[in-house]
Amino acid sequence: MAHVFDSKVDWWIPVIVVGSVAGCFIGPMIDGDFIPGIVLAAAVLAVEIFIFAGVKYQIRDGQLGIRNFFRWTWFPIDKISEVKKSRGILSAPALSADRISIRFSDRSILKSFMPLEISPKDRDEFIAILKSINPQITVK
């Protein structure tokens, strides 16, 4: 059975979208030429929707899937050693500062010492499902 989680979205994401789309109109409005502003705003909005709507998480068949830019990356849950709630703004497939930091027992999975950070809407349920699949996970 697959469990799908949307990313939690902080207040600043819609502010960025509205601000960037509004910013596309400023130059053309000053020149009085609205068509380029509309085209630019539509293109920026399309890119932002593509980026922000593509963040999802899925747990199935012993794997943790992370969809970013509509591309899935899969990680083995049995290699997760530690999960903890965190707050941060490091670069990650997450749309919120309320995150889960995931460490793996095998460094070759991420090829980094940094943990994987994601922001599912329901962090507690997400952690409970991971823990039910791999009881060896340490929750901090």
Side-chain angles (χ1 to χ4, degrees):
M1 183 172 139
H3 301 276
V4 179
F5 294 84
D6 290 326
S7 179
K8 181 178 179 183
V9 178
D10 278 348
W11 63 269
W12 50 269
I13 296 293
V15 169
I16 288 173
V17 171
V18 170
S20 62
V21 170
C24 293
F25 287 111
I26 292 174
M29 281 178 60
I30 291 170
D31 288 342
D33 193 8
F34 295 101
I35 301 299
I38 292 170
V39 171
L40 182 59
V44 167
L45 184 62
V47 168
E48 288 175 343
I49 288 172
F50 178 76
I51 291 169
F52 297 143
V55 180
K56 285 204 184 301
Y57 315 106
Q58 184 176 31
I59 298 172
R60 73 161 192 227
D61 301 327
Q63 300 264 339
L64 167 60
I66 298 174
R67 187 175 81 175
N68 197 21
F69 300 114
F70 294 95
R71 186 185 61 130
W72 286 96
T73 304
W74 295 93
F75 302 96
I77 294 174
D78 64 343
K79 299 289 185 184
I80 295 175
S81 62
E82 179 184 293
V83 174
K84 73 177 183 177
K85 292 181 181 178
S86 64
R87 285 195 50 84
I89 56 171
L90 293 175
S91 177
L95 302 176
S96 173
D98 295 330
R99 298 180 178 192
I100 295 174
S101 183
I102 300 173
R103 291 197 180 274
F104 293 92
S105 59
D106 185 355
R107 185 176 163 279
S108 67
I109 292 171
L110 283 180
K111 298 173 184 62
S112 168
F113 288 109
M114 296 294 294
L116 175 65
E117 292 201 353
I118 58 176
S119 63
K121 273 187 182 176
D122 189 348
R123 293 191 296 177
D124 293 328
E125 180 185 359
F126 190 88
I127 291 170
I129 293 170
L130 289 177
K131 185 88 171 141
S132 72
I133 295 169
N134 180 1
Q136 304 300 317
I137 294 174
T138 303
V139 179
K140 292 187 176 183

